[in-house]
Amino acid sequence: AAGVIQSPRHLIKEKRETATLKCYPIPRHDTVYWYQQGPGQDPQFLISFYEKMQSDKGSIPDRFSAQQFSDYHSELNMSSLELGDSALYFCASSASGTSGGTQETQYFGPGTRLLVL
Amino acid sequence: AQSVTQLDSQVPVFEEAPVELRCNYSSSVSVYLFWYVQYPNQGLQLLLKYLSGSTLVKGINGFEAEFNKSQTSFHLRKPSVHISDTAEYFCAAQFSGGYNKLIFGAGTRLAVHP
């Protein structure tokens, strides 16, 4: 079965550079979520999109922005990178239920490991 | 405040022994609960989930969990572990009105020894 695809899998950047992470959801999934997992930490919710509109926002720095495109893939843009941005960034996708409620199991991609030097 | 607490940061266990990983949540609204497993340098894999219905849910790899509303718990169990079960286990919750985002616990490192 098709899974969530993330690219690149690994990324090394210098401080103050920019980075773009891409996420391709499972086919027919209309919702995308981004999470950040620091070293030894639990994943923290950053932002989510449903049908190309931002649906929720978590602890995402103002230096970061994201969007979901017409083909449902999503990109997380990170500017003015800091050492503390080094983390594993996960994308997850889900398919909205007929109720539009919360019964939407999220399936995670393999993550993008970002290292800021 | 809505939160998820995993009471044990590390659980060492011998191969073929039973194991229980504890998870409690705090919420005044309805909640859906999940367990994910993360193998070293890999992503998060869904083990099992509780949405409604039977409070005992079975997942992959022989794991099961029981939802206990009165104790606000969702402990994960396996009757006999294998070396290959060594991984980080995360309990997560979706709270009603939370726009479906997952709130994770801090994780429990299960270390299975021969």
Side-chain angles (χ1 to χ4, degrees):
Chain A
V4 177
I5 297 172
Q6 290 187 247
S7 68
R9 293 293 308 277
H10 299 88
L11 192 57
I12 300 176
K13 291 287 185 178
E14 300 277 344
K15 281 194 307 183
R16 292 179 289 277
E17 285 190 321
T18 61
T20 297
L21 279 52
K22 296 185 179 182
C23 169
Y24 297 86
I26 292 171
R28 291 179 294 282
H29 280 195
D30 51 16
T31 307
V32 168
Y33 310 80
W34 286 96
Y35 294 84
Q36 178 192 57
Q37 185 181 29
Q41 304 293 315
D42 55 292
Q44 295 289 318
F45 172 73
L46 291 178
I47 196 167
S48 63
F49 293 87
Y50 166 67
E51 284 290 345
K52 293 149 280 184
M53 298 288 288
Q54 181 182 308
S55 53
D56 196 9
K57 192 173 180 180
S59 51
I60 183 170
D62 292 340
R63 300 177 289 108
F64 294 6
S65 65
Q67 57 183 324
Q68 186 180 32
F69 294 87
S70 58
D71 64 350
Y72 295 103
H73 94 272
S74 179
E75 295 183 4
L76 178 65
N77 299 293
M78 310 160 71
S79 63
S80 302
L81 287 169
E82 301 174 356
L83 296 178
D85 296 329
S86 295
L88 191 56
Y89 290 84
F90 286 112
C91 172
S93 74
S94 68
S96 57
T98 53
S99 66
T102 58
Q103 292 188 22
E104 299 173 16
T105 301
Q106 294 178 30
Y107 296 92
F108 283 77
T112 293
R113 188 170 296 279
L114 172 65
L115 178 61
V116 181
L117 301 176
Chain B
Q2 298 163 344
S3 63
V4 177
T5 303
Q6 291 182 245
L7 299 168
D8 307 296
S9 60
Q10 295 186 62
V11 173
V13 64
F14 287 109
E15 194 173 20
E16 297 183 7
V19 71
E20 178 179 81
L21 306 183
R22 297 180 292 171
C23 173
N24 287 86
Y25 66 93
S26 174
S27 176
S28 58
V29 298
S30 61
V31 62
Y32 301 111
L33 295 160
F34 305 82
W35 276 98
Y36 286 88
V37 59
Q38 185 176 32
Y39 299 101
N41 299 314
Q42 293 190 28
L44 295 164
Q45 181 181 5
L46 180 67
L47 271 180
L48 48 77
K49 60 186 177 183
Y50 172 77
L51 302 180
S52 63
S54 173
T55 56
L56 182 63
V57 292
K58 295 187 183 297
I60 62 171
N61 301 340
F63 284 93
E64 63 180 32
E66 185 159 18
F67 171 63
N68 188 317
K69 188 175 182 179
S70 62
Q71 297 187 4
T72 61
S73 68
F74 190 55
H75 300 334
L76 181 70
R77 295 190 291 260
K78 186 170 183 178
S80 176
V81 295
H82 302 286
I83 295 288
S84 59
D85 292 322
T86 294
E88 190 84 19
Y89 290 79
F90 289 98
C91 181
Q94 279 181 344
F95 297 101
S96 178
Y99 297 97
N100 306 327
K101 65 176 176 286
L102 287 171
I103 305 297
F104 285 86
T108 297
R109 170 78 178 163
L110 176 64
V112 182
H113 301 281

